[in-house]
Amino acid sequence: MRQPELGKILSNLRNSKGLTQEELVEKCNISVRTIQRIEAGEVTPRSYTIKTILAALGENLENFKDIFVLVETPSLSVSKKQMQFLNAAFFVGIIYFCIGFVEFYLDADLEFERNLVISTPFYVSVKVISFVSMLFFYGGFIVCGQLFKNYLLRISSLLLMILFGMATIFAIYTWFSPTASDDFLWVTLCIFIGCVLVVHGISLLRLKKHLGSTLSTITAVFVITTGATFISVLLFLLGLIFLIPVSILQLLLLYKTRELAKQSDSK
């Protein structure tokens, strides 16, 4: 039986026994958040979890074999270090998203207007914060790749870390040596980043069975489209604008991964 019907049956069964969710938690040692999500139809529990809940309710799974068609969902094996990194990646990713607006404004002014009086410490600080937060952000996707056995996601995330890092380092270098600006290098970086973004988008499609088809598909489409604009070079500025919804969608994917990891850790 699929959700949300499964959750409704378990909820009705619990209510018929006169138990609150908190009282059920005490009996089966499953977190209250997990019980809430199962009953709300947000997740499909493993057969072991269903058996544990039924046992706590004084029921036997055999009595419900005509109703329940159990779907065994893969359990994530999440280490404490991975859980901590996912938490850090999500919250630092918010910083990365916010600092991106400041970074874009500074770079746009330097490239086109030169109206701002920007001090060297401020400019370098913005770039360093952006660089470090970017490492955490895409590091979170490397962890996602580890948890979901998605090697393409791990590789593409690592390559994006390297390429975005190279772009940041070169931007700081040209700040101190304005005459060293090399358009060929920027164009090359732009094309390489675009190609890796396309691969990254394809890897996100593989998360559909874990994180939901809608969110994963929408994110993948935006990432692939953004990659295509970078590859074209001429649409590079449009690609920078696309990075706004892309970052938001990626943060949502990290959040869902983090919640799924918490749920698996609590089982």
Side-chain angles (χ1 to χ4, degrees):
M1 175 176 292
R2 295 182 179 276
Q3 290 286 31
E5 290 81 4
L6 174 62
K8 291 178 181 177
I9 290 178
L10 291 176
S11 177
N12 291 336
L13 187 59
R14 174 181 58 78
N15 289 327
S16 70
K17 301 291 183 177
L19 295 175
T20 65
Q21 290 179 333
E22 288 74 16
E23 290 171 334
L24 178 58
V25 167
E26 294 178 1
K27 287 178 172 290
C28 64
N29 198 31
I30 296 175
S31 73
V32 67
R33 176 59 179 156
T34 299
I35 296 293
Q36 290 171 344
R37 297 188 70 190
I38 292 173
E39 293 190 357
E42 295 177 6
V43 295
T44 301
R46 294 176 295 165
S47 58
Y48 171 78
T49 304
I50 296 177
K51 291 176 184 178
T52 302
I53 293 174
L54 289 175
L57 292 171
E59 299 289 346
N60 193 307
L61 180 62
E62 291 299 315
N63 299 332
F64 296 87
K65 63 182 180 180
D66 294 332
I67 300 177
F68 293 139
V69 178
L70 302 179
V71 179
E72 189 71 34
T73 57
S75 176
L76 294 180
S77 178
V78 187
S79 69
K80 183 178 179 181
K81 185 177 180 180
Q82 287 174 322
M83 192 69 246
Q84 290 174 338
F85 200 94
L86 280 176
N87 286 326
F90 175 71
F91 290 111
V92 177
I94 296 175
I95 297 175
Y96 175 59
F97 174 72
C98 294
I99 200 70
F101 289 96
V102 179
E103 185 179 18
F104 176 79
Y105 184 58
L106 294 179
D107 287 338
D109 182 80
L110 288 171
E111 184 67 27
F112 302 109
E113 302 293 337
R114 296 189 179 275
N115 291 329
L116 295 176
V117 178
I118 306 171
S119 68
T120 295
F122 179 71
Y123 182 78
V124 173
S125 297
V126 169
K127 286 294 183 180
V128 170
I129 293 173
S130 177
F131 174 69
V132 173
S133 57
M134 178 273 297
L135 293 179
F136 274 92
F137 182 60
Y138 281 104
F141 284 99
I142 291 179
V143 174
C144 288
Q146 293 172 342
L147 296 178
F148 300 128
K149 305 296 187 294
N150 189 331
Y151 297 104
L152 193 61
L153 181 59
R154 293 170 61 182
I155 294 171
S156 62
S157 299
L158 178 60
L159 289 175
L160 285 175
M161 291 166 68
I162 294 172
L163 290 172
F164 282 135
M166 289 174 62
T168 300
I169 293 171
F170 189 67
I172 294 176
Y173 174 70
T174 54
W175 169 268
F176 289 101
S177 303
T179 57
S181 180
D182 190 331
D183 291 338
F184 176 75
L185 178 59
W186 282 118
V187 170
T188 304
L189 268 176
C190 187
I191 294 174
F192 271 101
I193 289 173
C195 291
V196 177
L197 281 173
V198 171
V199 176
H200 189 66
I202 294 172
S203 72
L204 293 177
L205 284 173
R206 299 184 179 183
L207 298 180
K208 290 192 294 184
K209 65 179 180 180
H210 303 287
L211 303 178
S213 59
T214 302
L215 178 59
S216 299
T217 301
I218 292 175
T219 306
V221 169
F222 267 94
V223 173
I224 292 171
T225 302
T226 303
T229 63
F230 273 65
I231 293 172
S232 71
V233 179
L234 295 176
L235 297 176
F236 169 73
L237 290 178
L238 181 61
L240 291 179
I241 296 174
F242 280 179
L243 283 177
I244 297 174
V246 163
S247 297
I248 294 174
L249 290 167
Q250 287 176 319
L251 280 170
L252 290 175
L253 284 178
L254 278 180
Y255 177 79
K256 291 202 70 171
T257 302
R258 177 170 160 263
E259 291 300 300
L260 186 61
K262 282 183 179 179
Q263 176 191 332
S264 297
D265 193 45
S266 66
K267 293 179 179 180

